[in-house]
Amino acid sequence: MADTVREIERKYEADKTTRLPDLAGVDAIAAVAEAGTEDLDAVYYDTPDLCLAAEGITLRRRTGGKDAGWHLKLPVAPGVRDEVRAPLSDTPPPELAALLRSRLLDRELVPVVRLHTHRTVQVLQDAQGAPLAEIAVDAVRARRAAAPAGGEKAKPAPAKARWHEIEVELAGDGDPGLLDAVGRKLTAAGVRPASAASKLARALDETGLRSEASAGHEAGPDGHPSEGATKGSGKGSGKGGAAGVGKRGDTAGDVVLRYAREQVRAIIELDPAVRRDLPDSVHRMRVATRRLRSAFRSYTKVLDRGVTLPIGTELKWLATELGVERDREVLAERLRSGLAGVPRELRLGPVDARLRIWSERRRAGARDRLLDVLDGPRYLSLLRTLNAFLEEPPLRKAAGRPAPEVVAGAVLKDYRRLARRTDAALAAPAGRQRDEALHGARKAAKRTRYAAEAARPALGRPAKKFAKRTKRVQQVLGDHQDSVVARVTLRELATQAQQAGEGGFTFGLLHGREEALAADRERALPDVWRKASRRKHRAALRP
């Protein structure tokens, strides 16, 4: 069974003559205790083209020390990684391999580097003797463990490297400010911050493995061809590309492909977070799938619909599967919040327990189903298809035109669709027909908003403001739809309670409150829509 620890550390250059300064009295450090030495032997695994190293991910099998076993390190922020640990075995444990599946797909893991580390450890303690951090001086020997990407014939005599370094790692959930204070003390003593982010990164550089792998595969941050090397992509847009950042002279293809690449990358990167059940990961992955599908539907003048339509069908399937868990999360939180607002004297019967049981049962089923989806052939086939799409983008003639004129037209086309649906919803008779019409308008608002977000690098501030105004419309419509769904569940819970002889009064009370909330959102919509649909906002989008 794997467990996870948060690793927050800083690294510094050293040599065999380096001596640590006295750190007692720095920040909250009251004492420095000697903790002896360790000899660590670690074999690091990657694909022959080092796709994991390209993303700052490390997988190793280590013996020696107090945490011998398999360690998968996933970057969280600079100097911060989550280390997922599993017991020793001869091959990578399935639970760790699953966390890498979206990156690896069909590629094989092989040993690439072996590191021997002689470690001298000191524990930095507070006044009560509790550990604040560990500081280690490491003498490292590295050697290749596999052939480079070019194959066995291309492998020269095994390359080796030696160096010394200092690691300062925070204990538990301590204050990272302590590491800053220790770093200032070390710098004052002449110790320099390390140039490499990890031992593996330095070993790959100093043994020549990274340069040989790069020569055989121009890799991007997801281990696949970088955007600048993408066939048919027009002018290179750089690695990934930040939202809202464009380049003068960008074509419509540059802008749309940059946005598409960001969403594909988000899906791949969020896969392990979803498997680990990290907060908000399901929602973020679902949003990425929806944004990508929306871009396919909005920018049909840029991307060939004949190619993107079947991909969009699979993205819709994935978003639906992710939605089973996400919708449960949202609905459970809404019902819990509503129940918390009911005075205790009006909570008749075991309503809290019934709601908790309902949520836990739904969660267990949704969680198991989602993991089956992520391990299934259909999802993995979708990931392969997305990689192929980025390698051979199905660009149409308009993709080579200046970005502003093309993307503005796409946003305005989606806006007109939203306007038709909103007007129809406002005119629909109250009840189920209006509920369905408002839900359709909500979908149109979301698509318009995503189209404007994708257009922001080309259209700038007007697109940002347009997306923000459309988001307000989407939020009003979304809150209304959430109320519709909540009322269905409340009726089910009330029925179950009555059948069990508990009475359904409290659930009926919550149902009435949801009805009132939905009516309030219907009253608010005309004013929100009027502000969002002013002609001047659309005029600002035109180049």
Side-chain angles (χ1 to χ4, degrees), residues 192-224:
R192 304 187 314 276
S195 56
S198 66
K199 287 183 174 64
L200 175 62
R202 182 164 182 172
L204 292 175
D205 287 335
E206 296 202 8
T207 61
L209 272 172
R210 192 191 303 276
S211 60
E212 291 172 9
S214 298
H217 178 83
E218 187 177 350
D222 55 1
H224 300 288

Side-chain angles (χ1 to χ4, degrees), residues 500-515:
E502 300 165 1
F505 171 82
T506 305
F507 294 120
L509 176 62
L510 290 174
H511 186 283
R513 291 185 174 184
E514 287 290 352
E515 273 189 326

Side-chain angles (χ1 to χ4, degrees), residues 25-73:
V26 174
D27 200 83
I29 301 171
V32 179
E34 299 291 337
T37 61
E38 298 174 332
D39 286 294
L40 311 173
D41 185 356
V43 177
Y44 288 78
Y45 287 72
D46 206 330
T47 59
D49 57 1
L50 305 180
C51 80
L52 300 182
E55 291 195 69
I57 295 172
T58 62
L59 174 66
R60 72 186 178 199
R61 182 186 187 276
R62 191 166 80 178
T63 57
K66 57 184 180 292
D67 61 348
W70 285 89
H71 304 155
L72 172 63
K73 298 191 179 188

Side-chain angles (χ1 to χ4, degrees), residues 289 292-294 296-297 305-321 378 382 385-386:
T289 64
L292 183 57
R293 179 170 177 256
S294 183
F296 288 166
R297 299 171 77 188
R305 184 72 168 152
V307 175
T308 61
L309 182 60
I311 303 176
T313 299
E314 293 304 283
L315 288 170
K316 181 180 180 180
W317 161 77
L318 177 58
T320 300
E321 294 294 343
R378 186 173 181 179
L382 172 58
T385 300
L386 291 176

Side-chain angles (χ1 to χ4, degrees), residues 1 13 15 68 80 92 95 99 168 170 199 209-210 262 269 280 294 298 327 465 490 504 507:
M1 186 68 179
E13 306 283 357
D15 58 41
V80 182
E95 58 266 42
L99 298 178
V168 189
L170 202 62
K199 287 183 174 64
L209 272 172
R210 192 191 303 276
E262 289 170 0
E269 291 182 348
D280 206 37
S294 183
S298 296
D327 290 345
K465 287 185 174 182
L490 287 167
F507 294 120

Side-chain angles (χ1 to χ4, degrees), residues 115 140-144 159-163 202-203 206-207:
L115 299 182
V140 185
R141 292 181 290 122
R143 65 178 177 85
R144 297 184 183 206
K160 300 180 180 180
R162 291 175 178 263
W163 70 88
R202 182 164 182 172
E206 296 202 8
T207 61

Side-chain angles (χ1 to χ4, degrees), residues 210-539:
R210 192 191 303 276
S211 60
E212 291 172 9
S214 298
H217 178 83
E218 187 177 350
D222 55 1
H224 300 288
S226 64
E227 185 169 355
T230 298
K231 298 176 183 178
S233 62
K235 299 177 183 179
S237 300
K239 186 175 72 173
V245 178
K247 291 184 179 180
R248 180 172 297 179
D250 272 354
T251 65
D254 292 327
V255 171
V256 174
L257 283 179
R258 184 185 301 124
Y259 185 78
R261 188 175 298 277
E262 289 170 0
Q263 309 320 314
V264 174
R265 180 171 178 170
I267 293 169
I268 292 170
E269 291 182 348
L270 285 165
D271 176 290
V274 170
R275 293 175 186 272
R276 294 168 59 202
D277 201 17
L278 296 186
D280 206 37
S281 57
V282 172
H283 171 61
R284 292 165 58 205
M285 187 173 182
R286 189 186 189 191
V287 168
T289 64
R290 285 177 161 178
R291 281 177 168 152
L292 183 57
R293 179 170 177 256
S294 183
F296 288 166
R297 299 171 77 188
S298 296
Y299 292 100
T300 53
K301 288 189 175 181
V302 176
L303 300 172
D304 185 347
R305 184 72 168 152
V307 175
T308 61
L309 182 60
I311 303 176
T313 299
E314 293 304 283
L315 288 170
K316 181 180 180 180
W317 161 77
L318 177 58
T320 300
E321 294 294 343
L322 291 166
V324 173
E325 169 68 0
R326 173 60 182 171
D327 290 345
R328 183 210 62 82
E329 288 178 356
V330 172
L331 180 55
E333 177 56 33
R334 188 182 187 96
L335 297 180
R336 281 194 296 267
S337 177
L339 188 57
V342 175
R344 186 161 298 277
E345 62 270 18
L346 297 180
R347 298 187 199 179
L348 305 185
V351 290
D352 294 270
R354 181 163 292 282
L355 180 56
R356 184 174 62 255
I357 291 169
W358 169 86
S359 179
E360 289 174 353
R361 285 177 178 171
R362 289 276 299 268
R363 171 175 167 73
R367 182 75 189 152
D368 291 344
R369 175 174 173 170
L370 180 55
L371 291 176
D372 286 342
V373 166
L374 296 183
D375 288 332
R378 186 173 181 179
Y379 169 68
L380 298 178
S381 176
L382 172 58
L383 293 183
R384 296 186 192 99
T385 300
L386 291 176
N387 287 332
F389 162 79
L390 293 178
E391 290 172 2
E392 295 283 352
L395 298 177
R396 299 185 64 193
K397 186 176 181 179
R401 290 165 51 192
E405 60 184 74
V406 177
V407 299
V411 175
L412 292 173
K413 180 181 178 181
D414 281 346
Y415 164 80
R416 290 190 291 271
R417 179 172 175 269
L418 168 60
R420 290 192 299 271
R421 291 199 178 188
T422 303
D423 291 342
L426 291 172
R432 183 173 179 178
Q433 185 176 345
R434 182 182 294 173
D435 290 344
E436 292 176 352
L438 289 170
H439 185 41
R442 176 198 184 192
K443 293 178 180 179
K446 188 177 297 185
R447 177 166 155 181
T448 305
R449 170 193 162 196
Y450 290 160
E453 289 175 349
R456 185 180 168 190
L459 302 179
R461 190 173 179 82
K464 179 181 178 181
K465 287 185 174 182
F466 194 84
K468 186 176 181 179
R469 294 184 184 98
T470 307
K471 183 178 180 180
R472 293 195 190 105
V473 177
Q474 177 193 330
Q475 288 171 334
V476 171
L477 294 168
D479 206 14
H480 182 277
Q481 176 62 17
D482 289 347
S483 177
V484 172
V485 173
R487 278 178 276 158
V488 172
T489 300
L490 287 167
R491 285 194 295 271
E492 294 174 357
L493 290 170
T495 300
Q496 294 170 10
Q498 287 178 329
Q499 291 172 345
E502 300 165 1
F505 171 82
T506 305
F507 294 120
L509 176 62
L510 290 174
H511 186 283
R513 291 185 174 184
E514 287 290 352
E515 273 189 326
L517 186 146
D520 178 73
R521 296 301 179 267
E522 289 181 25
R523 287 190 296 271
L525 178 60
D527 185 57
V528 174
W529 173 242
R530 184 173 60 254
K531 292 178 180 177
S533 60
R534 288 171 179 163
R535 185 183 299 273
K536 65 178 183 180
H537 302 327
R538 303 194 298 280

